[in-house]
Amino acid sequence: MYRLLAALCRTVSVPHAYARNASDWVKQCMSYIRQHATEGMTVQQAARAAGMNRTYYSVALSEKAEIPPSEFITQARMESAKRLLAETDASITEVAYTTGYSSLYAFTGTFEN
């Protein structure tokens, strides 16, 4: 059903009034990611929450937001980590686990990049 809908969406020209809805969809997706990124969320989970398959979601969000969802999730986690490090006395290990990383090694590797 989703594939059929996606195919129809690609073949139908979208009136200007609906262009705003695409922007709203992107904002909603990004807001959802910001809210849940520290829970160890994956692109698959974000796509499921949006009611789409992972591939279509990744392509559509990358195209409209100009950033792949996986990178946006990482950015949201890092913003949260920076805020925690600056505003709390939490250790780096605590911040790593709080922001959804499964290990300190994974966190530090991402944080350094």
Side-chain angles (χ1 to χ4, degrees):
M1 177 116 173
Y2 291 118
R3 289 183 192 154
L4 177 61
L5 182 58
L8 287 172
C9 288
R10 284 190 290 261
T11 60
V12 175
S13 65
V14 179
H16 180 69
Y18 291 106
R20 189 168 26 102
N21 291 338
S23 175
D24 292 343
W25 172 82
V26 170
K27 288 177 186 175
Q28 289 174 346
C29 289
M30 294 177 105
S31 176
Y32 180 85
I33 289 171
R34 279 188 204 99
Q35 291 173 2
H36 299 281
T38 60
E39 299 168 8
M41 178 178 52
T42 64
V43 175
Q44 177 67 36
Q45 291 166 329
R48 193 176 312 128
M52 300 178 181
N53 89 15
R54 182 191 186 285
T55 303
Y56 181 78
Y57 176 84
S58 293
V59 170
L61 192 62
S62 294
E63 181 180 294
K64 292 179 182 11
E66 299 179 355
I67 183 171
S70 58
E71 286 183 35
F72 190 73
I73 290 170
T74 300
Q75 282 183 0
R77 284 181 177 169
M78 288 296 105
E79 288 170 12
S80 181
K82 288 175 186 176
R83 191 172 46 255
L84 287 170
L85 288 169
E87 298 173 3
T88 69
D89 292 331
S91 70
I92 293 174
T93 302
E94 291 170 325
V95 170
Y97 290 122
T98 300
T99 54
Y101 286 90
S102 59
S103 72
L104 181 59
Y105 178 76
F107 173 76
T108 56
T110 304
F111 194 83
E112 290 174 352
N113 291 329

